[in-house]
Amino acid sequence: MVILDAGQTLQAGSPNQVFASPRNARVAELVGIQNHFGGRFHKHEPGWGRLGWGEREQLVLTVLDKNRIPDGASVTWVVAGERIDLLPDGNPHGNTLRCEIVEQLTLGETSLCALRPEGLARQQLTLNLSTAQLRAMDAAVGRCLRLHIPPEAVHIMPQKDVAAPAPTQAM
């Protein structure tokens, strides 16, 4: 698969590679990745980092550190929905988010769900979840559940700074 934008090759690789690890935010946008967010990366210990999510970093996720992003850098990131585990509400452990179901569209064995993480009113995850699992958990719009996001499900990309326009000079 080759991702082109305005005649330039942005990324080439297998579909699995491109979707799991887009090179930058533009690639993620072009391939239609829905769960694409901004945050701040902090180094933690060798091989591990912390990803602050939200304007004031209200949620923090443990992530893998591939030593490509400096400490404190603004980043964009995507999460592979197929790697997220669904847990009953009240079952916390690391990298677990409590989310409210704000929309649920049942499509046979799969339900398309929009989830709002607690503490992040302006953020929303969109996931295809097992209808049977949702039914067994008595999950419905307005109810909460927990999502476990394994560190390897998060792909972090450096955020390119937008250059400020050059100052104009008076004549």
Side-chain angles (χ1 to χ4, degrees), residues 73-139:
S74 292
V75 295
T76 63
W77 59 282
V78 297
V79 62
E82 68 276 3
R83 298 183 111 171
I84 294 176
D85 297 317
L86 185 60
L87 305 170
D89 192 23
N91 198 4
H93 56 69
N95 271 16
T96 302
L97 308 177
R98 185 170 192 262
C99 299
E100 177 188 359
I101 302 171
V102 292
E103 290 181 47
Q104 183 176 347
L105 176 61
T106 301
L107 306 165
E109 295 178 5
T110 303
S111 291
L112 179 63
C113 296
L115 306 159
R116 182 172 300 121
E118 191 172 69
L120 294 174
R122 292 191 234 167
Q123 301 291 317
Q124 187 170 290
L125 286 155
T126 302
L127 299 173
N128 289 310
L129 300 172
S130 161
T131 300
Q133 189 176 15
L134 288 167
R135 192 175 301 121
M137 297 170 79
D138 198 27

Side-chain angles (χ1 to χ4, degrees), residues 37-66:
F37 307 100
R40 186 164 304 279
F41 177 77
H42 302 280
K43 291 191 174 287
H44 182 60
E45 57 187 58
W48 297 98
R50 299 268 191 218
L51 176 63
W53 186 12
E55 291 175 16
R56 293 180 306 279
E57 300 183 38
Q58 297 94 310
L59 292 176
V60 177
L61 299 173
T62 299
V63 295
L64 300 175
D65 180 8
K66 299 176 184 174

